[in-house]
Amino acid sequence: MDRESASLLPGVCALLADSGKPLPDDTSLEKLLDRFTELSEAGVSLPESCPCLLDFISTMASNSTSDPSILSFTLKLSGLMAATENGYRVLQERSVLEVIFSVKHWKDTKLWDDPCIRIGWLYGFKRMLLHPKALTFFVQSGFLKPLLELQSDPSIFVASAAKQLLVHILLATQPEEAHASIKTSEDHSAVVLQTSDHIKESLKESKLASDHARFLSLLALILEQARHPLREQLLKALAASLEELAEAGDSRITSPLMDVIMAGYSTESDDVTKRLLSSMLNVNKPFDLVQAAAWFLSRSRSCASRDAVNTSQAVRILLLPLHFVTEQPLLGTGTKYTSTICICYVKLSSAPVVDNVTMAAQLKNKKAFISMICSCLRKAPEVALMPHDVLPCAPAVIVLSVVALLRMCSGDTLTSSWPSLNGRRNEDFRCLVSSGRVQISALNALASLSASPGANSTTNQVSEILLHYLCKPNSDPTVLKKSYEALLQWMSFWTLESSIPQQLGEDLLMTVKKRACDPRWEVRDSTIEFLGQLQCIPSLGSVDASLLSNRSTAPLLREALQDPESYVRASAVTALARGLVPCWQQETELPQEQTDTVRQLLDILHKDTEGFARRAVVHYFKTWFFVCSRPPSSPPSLLLESVRVVFSCGSLDLDWEVKVNMLDLAELLLDSAFLGYKRRTGAENHPYATFYTDVNGPTKDADAALESALRTLAGQGVFSALLSSLVDYDRPVALKACELLITIRDAISLASASTMDVSCELPEYGWGREIRELLKSEGDAGRHVNVCEVLTLLDLDERRGLLSQSSDHVHNSLQSLLQDILSAGGALADPRKDGGQEVIVDCY
């Protein structure tokens, strides 16, 4: 701690001890505690360097009139100091710990009811327990009981902190080695025993599902980090309670109960978790059954290959709802299932009359039924990738079942492809019709299933249902977007042999043209995005489909540049850039219509009032230049002309992302200008350093080439844009510009910069005047400046340091914090000092 802060600290301690009122800024004490924590972790002994803190804690231990926030700070500070050997010894000698952490003391003073005190008590102990003797003090003082009681605290912050502290204490009982015996200390055994008894009694006494979920969450958190034998000891003690919960079949605790099972589960584990898992995978409630199976597959990926029995059962359970609803043979034929609920499904799928009360109730509960279907759909792609000895059907059948479900959701259930559906089943599954939630889940699943084995055999069915959704006039915008995404996923796997028929391609083109004129901007935006993303699918280059022709889609994109919605205009710009990448790569001359498009984009950069479209335009030219300069080549003249306009407009733009994208383009230009030169060897060499043929100095040819490159950059407006951005009010823009200027300066410093005459023009006012002020030159010094002289005179390294600092670096100090606390405390003690007005504390 510095001398000034050390001199201020006693006054702060006295102020906090004497004043019974809270500070105006309730975060200042937390910030002060953070400072003390940093000092302690840096190896500073707080009792030795700050002896006034000991007196402060001793005073506050018997003070019950101060504000709870100050008392809570005292508890946390006590725990921090007691975490070290010296602090623990001194506080014990003063008998402070027994008093300040006494729950009886705080209850007698009626302060324990304040959450601030309970939080301070918990955090103080959590810090103190870093000391090896603190656990013994904690257990022998009887503090475990109140900690267990705080697990059910009405304050969620207190309950969460109590849970974390209890987990920390329990894990401290573990042996260092996983296979060693558990510590036999009475303190450690008491913690484990009391904790298991408390959880057992709480699960038994409480009838509320929220209480059960809370303690199951605590147990799962412990088991996830516990090792043998602590994990087995806890599971054995709580086995009966957990099995009772599993048999009760309460849907509200299925997830936390599965968390507990999977946290303690392994193929080598004892019979407790195996019995629990078996119970959960054989419950007689479809929703709970599916939820448990999904949870098992999500949490057991590491041991799924070693537990084929439970994995196979979970897979069958997750396929059951789709099997029942769509009548696809997902479970094979002639197979006998051990699960009673499986039999229930099979019976109902073949009988027109619902003869099972449980299933009938599940079908009538629309919310639960849809949630169950969505859970199955989320896991369907993962299930389709399971080994063949686990999966009861071919992956292609899963794809067809999702297609069938999508057809049901569209309301098209009376077509020739559904001859077995009767009136009763249509009535049962009416909740699926037009369900956006099921449609979105099914489309997400269908997109992921494109990578499953044998998916190509379902190409016609998939393309037909996706086109059907795209053609529906009343489709929800989100459903349409998901349909486009699924179609893109499938098209990325299609080959020439499995491509969509020509007629279907023409129908798709007609649908896309119609959707591009949809009155809903979300639909237009999704359509334009789809057209742009088509260009990113390499395998479509050989497919003869009219939709994939730029001549068919480019007019739609150019028309979208005039869309009234800025999102759509931005998507159109991005799509046009993707479509022109092959043309740019071949360095062919752009036709007149594409040249007109470039002019249109520059007009957007000039006049568009929304930042989204302007950002996309700058990114368009950045992509163009990147493609043309890989490998190095001469950029087209139209591109170079456009670059000048981009820098001119981008420097004046009010959107900081436009300016950052402009600087990315400037970086590409720098890279291209210096890329042709070899680099000087040595650690001091910069990636853009110029070529040296002699280790003693640069050649004249290299200097001439560098000067020519700098003149080109100046002519393109790069230097003017960088100098303008250097004084920009947006710090990310100024920082990037500063770094690029340093790059140029370092390259120039290796050459004979004094002989180079490269200039750029500064405006008479605005940023030009700021640059001249930085150079300490008068306004009549001329509008043109020498680039080499500017880069030499500007202190770019210092400026980069300042721009890299956070905005609070000036006030972010312990001394400033202590001064603020004293100032606020003094004004609080004497209201006349601030005229009765609110005190504003400037704590970083």
Side-chain angles (χ1 to χ4, degrees):
M1 182 182 296
D2 58 275
R3 182 181 303 175
E4 292 79 7
S5 299
S7 63
L8 294 172
L9 186 57
V12 170
C13 291
L15 172 67
L16 296 176
D18 294 340
S19 174
K21 299 180 181 179
L23 294 175
D25 181 7
D26 57 358
T27 65
S28 57
L29 292 178
E30 293 298 326
K31 296 170 184 175
L32 183 58
L33 187 67
D34 290 341
R35 286 297 182 177
F36 289 144
T37 303
E38 292 173 4
L39 291 172
S40 180
E41 291 177 349
V44 177
S45 175
L46 294 179
E48 294 178 0
S49 61
C50 312
C52 58
L53 293 179
L54 293 172
D55 297 332
F56 168 72
I57 293 174
S58 299
T59 301
M60 298 301 295
S62 57
N63 188 341
S64 59
T65 60
S66 291
D67 184 78
S69 63
I70 299 178
L71 294 172
S72 179
F73 166 76
T74 307
L75 283 163
K76 296 175 184 178
L77 179 61
S78 301
L80 174 64
M81 297 188 70
T84 62
E85 178 63 35
N86 189 27
Y88 186 85
R89 177 181 54 80
V90 174
L91 291 175
Q92 281 282 52
E93 292 174 353
R94 296 193 177 197
S95 301
V96 171
L97 295 179
E98 292 82 354
V99 176
I100 199 167
F101 282 100
S102 171
V103 176
K104 183 178 183 301
H105 164 70
W106 296 115
K107 287 183 176 180
D108 290 343
T109 57
K110 308 299 183 183
L111 289 171
W112 187 250
D113 294 336
D114 194 303
C116 285
I117 300 298
R118 303 197 298 276
I119 282 286
W121 188 85
L122 290 167
Y123 276 93
F125 256 125
K126 185 174 182 180
R127 191 74 192 187
M128 188 200 306
L129 285 171
L130 296 175
H131 191 281
K133 297 180 181 179
L135 182 60
T136 301
F137 166 70
F138 179 86
V139 175
Q140 293 182 354
S141 299
F143 292 141
L144 183 59
K145 182 178 179 181
L147 175 59
L148 293 172
E149 293 173 350
L150 289 177
Q151 303 297 316
S152 304
D153 197 88
S155 168
I156 59 174
F157 301 104
V158 175
S160 176
K163 179 171 70 174
Q164 296 296 330
L165 178 57
L166 181 58
V167 171
H168 176 78
I169 294 173
L170 277 170
L171 295 181
T173 67
Q174 293 191 108
E176 294 297 328
E177 299 180 4
H179 299 288
S181 298
I182 199 166
K183 296 178 180 178
T184 57
S185 167
E186 292 184 3
D187 298 332
H188 300 145
S189 301
V191 172
V192 177
L193 181 61
Q194 289 186 50
T195 301
S196 58
D197 288 345
H198 178 76
I199 296 177
K200 186 191 307 180
E201 293 173 3
S202 300
L203 293 175
K204 182 179 180 180
E205 294 176 358
S206 178
K207 302 301 181 183
L208 298 176
S210 57
D211 291 339
H212 292 163
R214 181 187 303 114
F215 284 100
L216 290 174
S217 174
L218 169 64
L219 182 57
L221 187 62
I222 298 170
L223 293 176
E224 283 179 354
Q225 305 174 64
R227 298 191 297 269
H228 174 80
L230 174 59
R231 181 175 58 242
E232 284 70 19
Q233 185 177 354
L234 290 172
L235 286 172
K236 185 177 180 180
L238 297 170
S241 300
L242 294 175
E243 289 174 358
E244 185 177 345
L245 289 177
E247 292 172 1
D250 191 340
S251 304
R252 294 170 295 181
I253 62 170
T254 298
S255 294
L257 187 54
M258 285 300 298
D259 276 336
V260 171
I261 295 172
M262 299 314 302
Y265 176 80
S266 69
T267 53
E268 296 82 14
S269 61
D270 58 19
D271 293 336
V272 176
T273 51
K274 291 182 179 179
R275 290 198 308 270
L276 289 171
L277 181 59
S278 178
S279 297
M280 295 302 293
L281 294 181
N282 285 280
V283 296
N284 200 30
K285 291 184 179 180
F287 178 76
D288 295 346
L289 186 64
V290 168
Q291 193 176 11
W295 217 253
F296 171 75
L297 289 185
S298 299
R299 300 292 302 273
S300 64
R301 289 170 183 165
S302 60
C303 61
S305 60
R306 301 194 302 269
D307 189 1
V309 175
N310 283 320
T311 302
S312 178
Q313 185 176 0
V315 166
R316 291 176 178 274
I317 290 171
L318 287 168
L319 292 177
L320 282 172
L322 293 176
H323 170 88
F324 174 61
V325 171
T326 66
E327 294 190 336
Q328 294 292 319
L330 293 171
L331 301 179
T333 57
T335 304
K336 184 177 180 180
Y337 306 107
T338 57
S339 173
T340 57
I341 196 62
C342 294
I343 298 174
C344 168
Y345 269 111
V346 174
K347 284 183 179 179
L348 290 176
S349 65
S350 58
V353 180
V354 180
D355 57 356
N356 186 284
V357 178
T358 303
M359 179 53 64
Q362 190 74 68
L363 288 172
K364 292 178 180 179
N365 188 338
K366 178 180 178 180
K367 182 178 179 181
F369 185 68
I370 288 179
S371 295
M372 180 177 62
I373 293 294
C374 291
S375 296
C376 296
L377 290 170
R378 281 193 294 270
K379 303 303 293 184
E382 181 182 342
V383 168
L385 296 176
M386 289 287 179
H388 63 87
D389 58 336
V390 172
L391 194 61
C393 64
V397 181
I398 300 178
V399 178
L400 293 177
S401 70
V402 176
V403 171
L405 182 62
L406 282 169
R407 190 174 296 279
M408 292 184 68
C409 291
S410 70
D412 186 16
T413 58
L414 299 177
T415 62
S416 58
S417 60
W418 289 91
S420 64
L421 291 179
N422 50 59
R424 178 55 190 263
R425 284 180 60 78
N426 289 337
E427 181 69 23
D428 289 340
F429 300 121
R430 178 173 291 180
C431 62
L432 296 177
V433 178
S434 301
S435 171
R437 183 181 173 190
V438 176
Q439 289 175 347
I440 291 172
S441 297
L443 289 168
N444 285 333
L446 191 61
S448 300
L449 285 167
S450 60
S452 60
N456 279 343
S457 63
T458 63
T459 294
N460 291 335
Q461 294 91 330
V462 170
S463 57
E464 184 179 355
I465 190 63
L466 291 177
L467 181 61
H468 175 72
Y469 266 78
L470 291 173
C471 292
K472 286 184 63 176
N474 59 342
S475 290
D476 181 81
T478 305
V479 172
L480 280 171
K481 182 178 178 65
K482 293 297 180 180
S483 301
Y484 279 130
E485 292 175 356
L487 185 58
L488 284 168
Q489 283 290 102
W490 279 84
M491 293 178 80
S492 64
F493 286 95
W494 287 343
T495 62
L496 185 60
E497 291 76 16
S498 62
S499 60
I500 58 177
Q502 180 67 24
Q503 182 60 45
L504 190 56
E506 293 175 358
D507 292 341
L508 183 56
L509 175 60
M510 186 181 302
T511 301
V512 168
K513 287 182 177 180
K514 181 179 179 181
R515 288 301 184 187
C517 303
D518 196 284
R520 296 166 294 180
W521 73 264
E522 299 94 339
V523 175
R524 300 196 304 273
D525 187 53
S526 298
T527 303
I528 298 302
E529 283 184 349
F530 169 73
L531 293 177
Q533 290 165 349
L534 274 177
Q535 315 302 326
C536 302
I537 304 178
S539 62
L540 296 180
S542 59
V543 180
D544 184 18
S546 58
L547 176 64
L548 307 180
S549 172
N550 280 331
R551 289 179 298 177
S552 301
T553 58
L556 295 176
L557 300 179
R558 286 195 293 271
E559 186 176 350
L561 293 176
Q562 305 294 333
D563 196 276
E565 176 57 50
S566 63
Y567 289 103
V568 181
R569 298 195 298 272
S571 297
V573 174
T574 302
L576 284 169
R578 288 172 173 168
L580 288 176
V581 164
C583 181
W584 295 339
Q585 289 174 333
Q586 297 169 7
E587 301 182 13
T588 57
E589 186 177 354
L590 296 179
Q592 183 60 41
E593 60 181 12
Q594 294 180 1
T595 302
D596 294 340
T597 300
V598 172
R599 309 294 184 194
Q600 194 174 358
L601 295 179
L602 293 176
D603 192 55
I604 290 176
L605 190 60
H606 270 291
K607 301 177 181 178
D608 202 299
T609 58
E610 298 289 341
F612 301 106
R614 301 198 305 273
R615 295 172 200 166
V617 169
V618 178
H619 198 273
Y620 174 98
F621 290 105
K622 186 172 67 174
T623 304
W624 189 0
F625 194 91
F626 180 82
V627 171
C628 290
S629 59
R630 297 291 193 275
S633 60
S634 300
S637 57
L638 178 60
L639 174 58
L640 295 180
E641 293 174 7
S642 303
V643 162
R644 297 187 185 94
V645 179
V646 171
F647 285 125
S648 175
C649 296
S651 301
L652 302 175
D653 204 284
L654 298 179
D655 190 304
W656 74 272
E657 291 191 52
V658 172
K659 290 179 283 192
V660 168
N661 278 325
M662 174 199 69
L663 293 176
D664 289 339
L665 176 59
E667 189 172 14
L668 287 175
L669 288 168
L670 292 177
D671 193 3
S672 177
F674 295 139
L675 194 61
Y677 308 120
K678 297 180 181 179
R679 302 182 178 101
R680 182 182 184 184
T681 58
E684 77 284 356
N685 182 46
H686 193 276
Y688 292 149
T690 53
F691 172 60
Y692 283 83
T693 56
D694 184 355
V695 294
N696 296 320
T699 64
K700 293 183 179 180
D701 290 341
D703 282 354
L706 177 60
E707 184 174 1
S708 175
L710 293 175
R711 287 181 183 276
T712 301
L713 293 172
Q716 292 167 343
V718 173
F719 291 119
S720 296
L722 292 179
L723 292 174
S724 170
S725 301
L726 181 65
V727 292
D728 196 271
Y729 48 81
D730 285 310
R731 188 167 50 170
V733 177
L735 179 58
K736 186 170 183 63
C738 185
E739 290 173 343
L740 292 178
L741 288 171
I742 290 175
T743 295
I744 302 172
R745 183 202 64 188
D746 292 346
I748 293 175
S749 65
L750 299 175
S752 303
S754 58
T755 63
M756 296 184 184
D757 184 17
V758 181
S759 63
C760 69
E761 185 177 4
L762 303 181
E764 186 176 355
Y765 300 101
W767 67 266
R769 173 177 292 179
E770 291 187 56
I771 293 294
R772 280 191 286 270
E773 290 176 355
L774 290 174
L775 298 174
K776 297 181 173 56
S777 60
E778 299 298 331
D780 57 0
R783 299 182 61 180
H784 287 80
V785 294
N786 185 282
V787 172
C788 300
E789 292 180 0
V790 169
L791 296 179
T792 303
L793 294 175
L794 288 175
D795 195 346
L796 295 174
D797 294 314
E798 180 182 359
R799 192 169 188 84
R800 178 171 60 179
L802 291 174
L803 291 170
S804 300
Q805 291 177 334
S806 60
S807 58
D808 62 357
H809 68 277
V810 175
H811 301 288
N812 190 2
S813 66
L814 177 59
Q815 180 182 351
S816 174
L817 178 60
L818 294 173
Q819 288 173 342
D820 289 336
I821 293 175
L822 286 172
S823 176
L828 192 64
D830 186 1
R832 293 174 298 177
K833 291 187 178 181
D834 61 46
Q837 298 180 355
E838 180 185 1
V839 178
I840 299 176
V841 182
D842 182 21
C843 291
Y844 60 96

